[in-house]
Amino acid sequence: MRSLRTRAGLTDEETFLLIAPRRTLSRREASGQLLSREEADRAVRIARVSARAQQIFGGKPEYAAEWLRSPKSALGDRTPMQALVTESGALAVEELLVGIEHGMFA
C-alpha cells in the first residue's frame, strides 16, 4: 500500500476516499491483513491510471499528479482523481489520456 501511495502520489485523504476508510486500512495494517478484493481492485485501478498518466506525460510524476488533480469539463468538472471512485470513471479518465496521447487536448 505504501508503494502505491508513493508511486501515485496519493494523499491520505485520497487514499481513504478511493481505497478504504482510515480505520479499515489501519486495522488491516496492524493485523497484517491483506486488502479485500474490492479494495485491491480500487488500488489496481489507481495504479493503472496513475502509471498511464505518467507515461503520457513523459515520466514526469509532478505534471501527471497536477493533471490528475485539475478539474476537467469532460468529467463534469470533476478531477480525474475524483472520477477514479468508479471503474466507469477510470475508463473516462483513460479515454482523456488516450486523447492527449493522440494529440487532442483534454
Side-chain angles (χ1 to χ4, degrees):
M1 185 57 129
R2 286 189 179 116
S3 176
L4 170 64
R5 291 181 68 182
T6 301
R7 287 182 182 199
L10 291 177
T11 65
D12 287 345
E13 182 180 317
E14 290 167 338
T15 301
F16 304 136
L17 172 70
L18 296 171
I19 298 174
R22 177 187 308 263
R23 288 181 62 179
T24 300
L25 291 177
S26 295
R27 186 177 63 248
R28 289 195 194 291
E29 186 175 349
S31 65
Q33 290 180 327
L34 298 175
L35 296 175
S36 71
R37 179 174 295 163
E38 293 81 14
E39 293 160 352
D41 285 347
R42 292 180 202 132
V44 167
R45 176 188 311 147
I46 294 161
R48 181 185 80 221
V49 173
S50 294
R52 186 76 171 127
Q54 288 182 23
Q55 177 187 24
I56 297 295
F57 296 118
K60 297 179 182 175
E62 64 283 345
Y63 191 81
E66 181 181 324
W67 186 88
L68 287 166
R69 288 167 179 84
S70 299
K72 308 290 179 245
S73 59
L75 299 173
D77 291 323
R78 292 181 301 158
T79 69
M81 273 299 192
Q82 291 168 328
L84 294 181
V85 170
T86 64
E87 182 62 24
S88 62
L91 293 173
V93 172
E94 288 175 311
E95 285 180 26
L96 289 176
L97 288 168
V98 167
I100 291 169
E101 182 178 37
H102 293 286
M104 297 180 271
F105 295 100

